[in-house]
Amino acid sequence: MGDDTDVIFIDSSVLISCGRRESTRFQALAREARQRDTRFRIPPAVYAEVTDEPAVDAYTTPASPVDAAVQEGWMMVTEDPSYEHSEVSAVMDQTRSFIANASNRSEDLVETTDTQIVGLALESLLADAADSVTVVTNDIPLGEAAASLIPQYGFDDQQVMWRTGGEFVAELGEDFVSEFE
């Protein structure tokens, strides 16, 4: 078993809604990581989405808040899924279908970031790198995909959680929650 019993994956929707490093939302994520004594994880596709894409650059400063979080040690960029377990690629395919059906769009339009998060969450459980996983996203179809698909691989509902950004830091107060979403 690794150091973390609950591995927490953060989706780009949460990071984008946080905005600048100085924002109360971004600082709340940092406090949450420190209070939990953990490092939040983001897949490479999420990192690329929040640091490199021109559409996202309009919402961030040149010094990426995500880069700062990685340097500060409370966030880390994971490796791509290893596919050591065939279940990982299967759940990623199922995630693509689930999100496409839930959002009434073509599977080709489902973001790689979404499938990577669910694949990495399952991989963490299968590799005994975590007792439980939490997916923090404001993307409801992604959260529902994680919560409904991963248990199909032999894990119970208590081992897989999904939270919106606001729910995740709810202990900061009701005003903060409404501001976050």
Side-chain angles (χ1 to χ4, degrees):
M1 186 67 216
D3 292 334
D4 292 326
T5 58
D6 182 30
V7 172
I8 300 167
F9 293 93
I10 306 288
D11 181 37
S12 59
S13 63
V14 173
L15 296 172
I16 291 168
S17 73
C18 284
R20 307 183 106 166
R21 183 174 179 217
E22 301 80 22
S23 77
T24 57
R25 290 173 272 185
F26 196 80
Q27 293 303 312
L29 271 183
R31 279 191 308 274
E32 188 69 19
R34 285 190 285 277
Q35 288 174 354
R36 291 173 181 260
D37 193 28
T38 193
R39 292 192 308 167
F40 297 149
R41 289 159 169 78
I42 60 171
V46 167
Y47 178 80
E49 186 174 338
V50 297
T51 60
D52 293 336
E53 290 193 13
V56 176
D57 287 342
Y59 302 103
T60 60
T61 61
S64 163
V66 172
D67 285 327
V70 170
Q71 289 175 352
E72 292 167 7
W74 60 269
M75 189 174 293
M76 68 179 281
V77 181
T78 67
E79 298 290 325
D80 284 323
S82 70
Y83 307 106
E84 180 180 323
H85 303 279
S86 61
E87 296 92 336
V88 172
S89 59
V91 81
M92 289 174 71
D93 289 342
Q94 292 170 329
T95 299
R96 184 175 320 287
S97 295
F98 186 103
I99 293 172
N101 289 333
S103 58
N104 198 27
R105 58 185 161 152
S106 167
E107 287 188 26
D108 296 339
L109 299 176
V110 174
E111 297 174 2
T112 301
T113 58
D114 296 347
T115 62
Q116 273 190 352
I117 286 175
V118 177
L120 287 166
L122 178 61
E123 186 174 76
S124 296
L125 292 167
L126 290 170
D128 289 328
D131 293 328
S132 62
V133 294
T134 300
V135 174
V136 182
T137 181
N138 294 329
D139 180 342
I140 293 171
L142 168 58
E144 290 176 344
S148 66
L149 295 173
I150 294 173
Q152 295 176 14
Y153 290 87
F155 300 98
D156 64 50
D157 292 343
Q158 278 64 40
Q159 290 178 280
V160 183
M161 308 271 300
W162 83 274
R163 299 280 185 256
T164 64
E167 291 172 332
F168 187 64
V169 292
E171 65 275 2
L172 295 173
E174 211 45 51
D175 292 337
F176 180 80
V177 173
S178 62
E179 177 186 326
F180 205 95
E181 298 188 340

